[in-house]
Amino acid sequence: MTATELDQLVSQIGEEILARLGRLPAPSTPAGGCSCAHLCVEKCEESTRRVLSAGAERVSAGQGVTAVSREIARLIDHTLLKPEATRDDIVRLCREARHWGFATVCVNPCWISLAVAELAGSPVKVASVAGFPLGATTTAAKVAEAAGALRAGAREIDMVINIGALRSCDDDAVRVDIAEVARVCHEAGALLKAIIETALLDDAQKAKACILAKAAGADFVKTSTGFGPGGATARDVALMRQVVGPAMGVKAAGGIRTYEELKQMTAAGATRIGASASVRIVQSAGA
């Protein structure tokens, strides 16, 4: 497919999706009176299936960890990407992740080896970033960064797409950028999440970014870096889910600090949550 044909196809798909999308409804209370937004795994059978399909494994609860908080934890990437993070901060992050059973810890590349060592023998995976936080490095640089992270032991990569190319309507450049990093990840048996930085895009651009990420082979689309002008919103998550369909992952990240906010994101279609306030969230879930 030529670049022109790709542009035309993406435009047609994007217009059709946005036309169908219209005004997104607010998340509603599930039938039957339960206000848990299908997150109460002890009461909602649908919730349990949803959590397991998002990647959770059956684990026993430790002291101070309820079944509910454990299952919620398996949706969360316990994240610390601040440049001032210290070795002690990363060790603490990993110990929290081991205790609560988060899906991953997400750290900057320089801390991957430490995180892998701290989490040895744990089901918690290590995730890292490429092209972070601007997405404006070259594709070759993103591929090299991802490959280095995978060699160090990362099992998931969150890469920032080329936002400038997207806004310039250079669709082929965006697709190739994602596809090359996806290839390296998949060769290593790892997952790729494409960060589209929704706060910098209008709805049409968000839809196009999701279409291109899916076409390029990314496993997830992700809302935000947490370093941009805004974070995740339920409306953006719902839009992204509508675009990519039911099979692809959607990660909500940026500004999610409470259990209520997590429920809003999962009700809108998120299957993974990126958060630094993870411990407070799961403590609230299990209360």
Side-chain angles (χ1 to χ4, degrees):
M1 180 180 293
T2 67
T4 299
E5 290 171 336
L6 177 66
D7 289 344
Q8 292 173 344
L9 178 60
V10 168
S11 178
Q12 290 170 359
I13 295 173
E15 288 175 2
E16 180 179 345
I17 288 172
L18 289 172
R20 284 187 300 176
L21 199 59
R23 183 183 297 274
L24 289 169
S28 58
T29 300
C34 181
S35 60
C36 69
H38 296 305
L39 283 173
C40 179
V41 296
E42 292 181 325
K43 297 180 181 178
C44 298
E45 181 180 352
E46 179 183 343
S47 169
T48 302
R49 291 196 301 267
R50 185 177 188 178
V51 170
L52 291 172
S53 69
E57 299 173 358
R58 184 183 298 274
V59 291
S60 61
Q63 184 177 4
V65 185
T66 69
V68 173
S69 62
R70 180 69 78 177
E71 296 293 357
I72 297 304
R74 294 299 298 161
L75 296 173
I76 298 175
D77 291 341
H78 193 31
T79 302
L80 181 54
L81 295 168
K82 293 180 179 179
E84 68 270 25
T86 66
R87 180 183 182 88
D88 287 346
D89 292 331
I90 301 301
V91 169
R92 185 180 308 109
L93 184 87
C94 292
R95 290 177 181 174
E96 290 169 346
R98 182 189 286 271
H99 174 74
W100 290 99
F102 294 119
T104 75
V105 296
C106 187
V107 298
N108 280 309
C110 64
W111 297 119
I112 294 172
S113 296
L114 174 61
V116 169
E118 286 291 322
L119 291 166
S122 164
V124 180
K125 297 178 182 179
V126 176
S128 193
V129 291
F132 194 88
L134 302 178
T137 55
T138 65
T139 297
K142 292 178 186 179
V143 168
E145 195 170 14
L150 295 166
R151 286 194 298 270
R155 306 315 305 150
E156 299 186 4
I157 300 295
D158 292 26
M159 72 161 284
V160 187
I161 70 167
N162 189 327
I163 300 164
L166 181 77
R167 288 168 59 96
S168 301
C169 297
D170 192 348
D171 298 343
D172 199 49
V174 176
R175 182 188 61 79
V176 170
D177 191 53
I178 301 169
E180 285 299 297
V181 180
R183 175 183 57 79
V184 172
C185 290
H186 295 160
E187 287 174 354
L191 299 179
L192 175 65
K193 308 185 197 88
I195 307 172
I196 68 173
E197 201 70 280
T198 51
L200 297 177
L201 307 176
D202 61 28
D203 283 354
Q205 291 165 339
K206 294 167 195 173
K208 180 187 286 189
C210 291
I211 294 165
L212 292 169
K214 186 172 184 177
D219 301 287
F220 283 76
V221 284
K222 176 179 170 181
T223 59
S224 320
T225 61
F227 287 76
T233 69
R235 186 182 187 283
D236 282 343
V237 170
L239 186 154
M240 294 163 72
R241 172 56 65 202
Q242 177 77 17
V243 173
V244 303
M248 190 175 183
V250 175
K251 178 176 173 179
I256 302 170
R257 299 182 179 89
T258 69
Y259 180 44
E260 290 303 315
E261 290 169 342
L262 180 146
K263 289 195 290 185
Q264 291 170 13
M265 298 303 166
T266 56
T271 50
R272 190 78 67 87
I273 303 293
S276 57
S278 317
V279 172
R280 184 164 70 243
I281 290 170
V282 294
Q283 286 175 332
S284 298

